[in-house]
Amino acid sequence: METCKYIKAKVKKVDLNDIYEGNNKALSILDDNIIEVIKTEAPITLNLLKARLREAFDLAKISGKALDIINERIKKLGFKKTDNLYDFVLWPTTGEFKITALRTNYPRQIYDIPYQELKVLVDNINAEGEILYREILKFFGYEVLTKKALEYLKFVEKKCK
């Protein structure tokens, strides 16, 4: 199984109030940040994109208003979205691409790893059901199979068949 390092995008600081006010320079920086994160980290869940943008805004949480603006910008920039059960996965404007390596070395919640990427691991584990789920968790260093993780891994298993 092929693995590679997860590369985290660098974002520029931007004042969220300037974005709320529609400041063109701030919106341009927001667009640049979205482009850089998706270009560097795709496929990436909306949840992880929000985490990168929180760094740019220097905030602990993204408000509903900010999320509306972010979603509007993603749509305007033409990025593709696919469903990942709990979240959307964002892809470059060219759309989905075949994933051949599992990205490691960066702590992500199991449900923040797109099922298309987890397929690389699933294809290398000769198991199904709870044994498969435990092997996936073990690979990433997780010990507890939470209800949310279980639901997500069932979704992954179904998608990977």
Side-chain angles (χ1 to χ4, degrees), residues 11 69 75 91 139:
V11 292
I69 293 168
K75 186 175 180 181
W91 301 82
F139 180 86

Side-chain angles (χ1 to χ4, degrees), residues 8 12-13 17 63 70 75-76 95-96 105 108 122 126 132 134 146-147 154:
K8 184 178 166 189
K12 302 173 201 159
K13 297 288 183 193
N17 288 321
S63 70
I70 291 164
K75 186 175 180 181
K76 176 187 164 279
E96 287 187 60
N105 79 299
R108 298 180 278 175
V122 169
N126 188 20
L132 172 66
R134 298 260 179 222
T146 65
K147 181 181 177 189
K154 285 180 178 179

Side-chain angles (χ1 to χ4, degrees), residues 33-35 37-38 41 44-54 62 70 74 90:
N33 283 339
I34 292 170
I35 291 166
V37 171
I38 294 175
E41 299 185 41
I44 182 172
T45 60
L46 181 59
N47 186 50
L48 282 179
L49 174 65
K50 290 186 305 189
R52 297 295 172 270
L53 296 177
R54 284 195 311 264
I62 297 279
I70 291 164
I74 289 168
L90 299 163

Side-chain angles (χ1 to χ4, degrees), residues 76-131:
K76 176 187 164 279
L77 293 167
F79 291 109
K80 307 298 181 209
K81 286 183 180 180
T82 57
D83 183 35
N84 204 47
L85 187 64
Y86 291 115
D87 204 354
F88 287 108
V89 174
L90 299 163
W91 301 82
T93 54
T94 54
E96 287 187 60
F97 53 84
K98 183 170 174 52
I99 299 171
T100 58
L102 181 64
R103 296 175 293 173
T104 59
N105 79 299
Y106 184 77
R108 298 180 278 175
Q109 296 292 337
I110 200 71
Y111 39 82
D112 276 330
I113 303 171
Y115 77 82
Q116 298 93 331
E117 185 175 352
L118 280 175
K119 185 176 186 332
V120 174
L121 180 57
V122 169
D123 288 348
N124 284 277
I125 298 173
N126 188 20
E128 53 186 44
E130 193 156 329
I131 295 170

